[in-house]
Amino acid sequence: MRTPRSLDDLLLYRIWRAACVSNGMVTRMVEGGFGITRRELGMIGVLEELGEIPASKFAERLHMDRASASLALRSLTEKKLVERRQDAEDGRIVHVRLSPAGQQLFDDLFPRLSRLNVDLLDGIEARHLEVFLDCLQDLELRGSELDAQGVAPSKCRPSPLERQHASITARA
């Protein structure tokens, strides 16, 4: 993997493939059984963990821009899973939290997700799992470092000027 020669040698591709299998099961469980999307599941999980939070902090926590978070929160509000509240001191600030129905949904869904998690890990020896989780934490930290350094620009395709320069350089 340190000198990739094919897609199967790319770490992120292998992680993506492994996640696709289990993500399909989660999607079917969440969308089919509970009427929410995977994104909404993540949002509900964050609200369950953090309790009431300003909508702007909520967007930051999910690494979403405010407009996208607002649209997603609107959907959850329409489904009566999230409640919004204006700040008493600053009316520009909106706080969000799970509604009782949102909490009930989470309480019903989480044990099923937890069971799936246990089933997925059942075939992995404890010593391997510990090493894997350590490596996963290291990957998360390293990914954050590389992202902060701007290693992958938002536009990954080279511009026409960059392609022309690469062509000229290759011929030289």
Side-chain angles (χ1 to χ4, degrees), residues 12-53:
L12 295 177
Y13 181 75
R14 297 286 299 274
I15 290 171
W16 173 77
R17 271 194 2 214
C20 280
V21 177
S22 57
N23 283 340
M25 292 183 282
V26 172
T27 298
R28 287 189 301 276
M29 184 185 302
V30 169
E31 291 179 1
F34 291 87
I36 60 171
T37 66
R38 287 188 53 103
R39 175 182 262 186
E40 290 172 334
L41 168 63
M43 297 175 86
I44 288 169
V46 166
L47 288 174
E48 204 283 330
E49 178 185 326
L50 300 177
E52 186 171 283
I53 184 172

Side-chain angles (χ1 to χ4, degrees), residues 66-86:
R66 289 183 183 189
S68 297
S70 180
L71 283 172
L73 282 168
R74 183 178 305 135
S75 172
L76 289 171
T77 302
E78 289 170 358
K79 292 177 181 181
K80 308 236 184 291
L81 300 173
V82 168
E83 299 173 339
R84 296 173 182 236
R85 176 184 69 78
Q86 293 290 133

Side-chain angles (χ1 to χ4, degrees), residues 117-128:
N117 188 77
V118 169
D119 290 345
L120 283 169
L121 296 176
D122 192 38
I124 299 175
E125 292 181 37
R127 64 189 173 94
H128 291 151

